[in-house]
Amino acid sequence: MLSVRDAEATILNAVQPLDNQRDIEFVDLLTAQNRILATPIISSLDFPHWDNSAMDGFAVRYADVQQARTDKPIILEVVEEIPAGYQPQVTIKPGQAARIFTGAMMPAGADSVIMQENTHQQENRVFILAAPQPQEFVRHKGDFYQAGKELLPAGIILTASEIAVLAAAQRDQVGVFRRPRVAIFSSGDELVMPEEPLQPGQIVDSNQYALATLVRELGGEVLLLGIIKDDPTALKEIIDYAIANADIVLSSGGVSVGKYDYIDSTLESLGAKIHFRAVQMRPGKPLTFATFPNLLYFGLPGNPVAALVTCWRFVQPTMKKLAGLAKGWEGKFLKVRSHSQLNSNGKMETYIWGKLHLINGVYEFRKAEGNDSSGNLINLAQTNALAILPVGKTLVYPREEVLVLQL
């Protein structure tokens, strides 16, 4: 049985990220939200594209106005008005100025901008009431970015700010990694779909819905394969199909040591390399991780809470790395104050689900109310964090610090 840390390292070492040549697709900029950039972006444009004004005011020659003050204003002739989007037509000469607006292109000859609050205009004359700093309120060409350098690196998630940069660089399409394909199925004779009548002894299969939702939240493409009965032949057929059509397989159930748990033996018959069958954690101990040449296989526990906990802990970073994210695959771990008393038998790394609250600027973890059985899906609703008690830790008192995985 592997420790959680060793299991995570084993999994991540087995992940081969998508290829930025073979696994790339081009999408319109407005559909690129939350996609992962496949190749670096280099622009042929400088930012700003030209010298421009950072303020409404007057474009001047610093040499003309450096002695200006309220009781001794400098008077300049206004020879042009320059709104944003207009190309100046006049070169500013000694004794001249141009009315200019924020973002407008600086005229030749001018090197500084006087904010309008420090001026007084009368017809075609402007009174400069205070001296600026040299180059004040001028944004120079290439100040923010020089053409030919890397504008955005590969392996980042495209959010609003990155998409704004791409639009400014006139990239209406962008190369992103394709979405990882994840096949999902549940195993067990006792399982039925939500729309089916529930008979005594049967269980509604909630795992497919939870796992599919999580995979989509992580940017994956879902291939739902349904419920597979506890039959080695049927399992072999469905796993063989998944190998040919997916990057990752998530199956739930059938990985414990029961008489009808056939997942591991089926994987072996198909030539999988099984890296481990159990992890020293609760919930989630019966977890199989196996690999084929081009596929990662997670045999998740059948208990619904255990299935989700193992996905949050292991599948989530796996998908991020596989999808081409350059860094930040690992979950977000925080040390926070516990509002609740947390208990463990100390034999397993224990995950307790609940909620993080921000109280007076300090995060606090509150355990979900009710029974914390790994079969109790009900109190998992609205969970946004898992408190983690390491092996050997049996008790966390209220107000004591605890490590949490933020979801």
Side-chain angles (χ1 to χ4, degrees), residues 81-300:
E81 182 169 291
I82 310 171
Y86 172 81
Q87 184 174 354
Q89 304 296 309
V90 175
T91 297
I92 302 303
K93 298 175 181 177
Q96 295 181 339
R99 181 74 167 105
I100 196 166
F101 296 89
T102 302
M105 190 174 182
M106 287 289 290
D111 57 20
S112 302
V113 173
I114 303 286
M115 61 190 299
Q116 64 185 21
E117 290 84 350
N118 291 332
T119 66
H120 174 66
Q121 186 173 5
Q122 291 182 353
E123 297 180 347
N124 69 335
R125 296 190 304 164
V126 61
F127 292 74
I128 309 300
L129 306 177
Q133 296 295 318
Q135 311 290 322
E136 190 167 25
F137 299 126
V138 176
R139 296 183 291 219
H140 293 282
K141 178 181 178 181
D143 267 356
F144 309 151
Y145 167 82
Q146 292 81 49
K149 293 184 177 180
E150 184 176 270
L151 183 63
L152 292 174
I156 61 171
I157 296 175
L158 297 176
T159 63
S161 54
E162 290 80 25
I163 288 174
V165 169
L166 289 165
Q170 299 188 304
R171 295 295 186 100
D172 59 337
Q173 286 203 328
V174 61
V176 297
F177 287 108
R178 67 169 175 81
R179 298 183 186 277
R181 293 184 289 267
V182 182
I184 300 171
F185 71 88
S186 300
S187 172
D189 291 343
E190 74 280 13
L191 298 176
V192 296
M193 298 297 287
E195 67 273 14
E196 296 180 62
L198 191 62
Q199 302 299 325
Q202 292 184 327
I203 301 171
V204 175
D205 177 22
S206 62
N207 283 352
Q208 281 196 78
Y209 292 84
L211 299 179
T213 301
L214 180 59
V215 165
R216 290 188 178 115
E217 287 174 351
L218 292 169
E221 180 182 312
V222 174
L223 178 61
L224 284 177
L225 301 180
I227 297 170
I228 310 303
K229 297 299 182 181
D230 290 323
D231 174 61
T233 301
L235 284 171
K236 188 171 183 179
E237 288 177 358
I238 204 68
I239 294 173
D240 203 31
Y241 176 82
I243 291 170
N245 291 278
D247 303 298
I248 297 175
V249 176
L250 305 179
S251 66
S252 63
V255 292
S256 192
V257 292
K259 180 178 179 181
Y260 300 104
D261 293 327
Y262 298 122
I263 293 292
D264 288 357
S265 59
T266 303
L267 291 171
E268 288 176 336
S269 72
L270 288 168
K273 179 180 180 180
I274 297 181
H275 296 265
F276 57 81
R277 292 182 170 89
V279 181
Q280 195 177 8
M281 66 184 294
R282 175 183 177 272
K285 175 186 172 183
L287 173 66
T288 292
F289 175 66
T291 54
F292 293 90
N294 294 300
L295 182 123
L296 306 169
Y297 192 103
F298 290 87
L300 306 173

Side-chain angles (χ1 to χ4, degrees), residues 21 25 31 33 65 67 93 103 135 137 161 188 213 227 234 236 250 257 259 272 282 305 319 327 362 386 402:
Q21 300 296 321
E25 58 188 29
T31 63
Q33 179 185 7
V65 298
Q67 302 299 326
K93 298 175 181 177
Q135 311 290 322
F137 299 126
S161 54
T213 301
I227 297 170
K236 188 171 183 179
L250 305 179
V257 292
K259 180 178 179 181
R282 175 183 177 272
V305 176
M319 281 197 61
K327 57 184 178 180
V362 177
L386 300 172
V402 65

Side-chain angles (χ1 to χ4, degrees), residues 333-336 342 386-390 396 401-405:
F333 294 91
L334 306 171
K335 284 192 175 181
V336 305
L342 308 176
L386 300 172
I388 305 171
L389 275 63
V396 172
E401 194 174 67
V402 65
L403 184 68
V404 302
L405 172 59

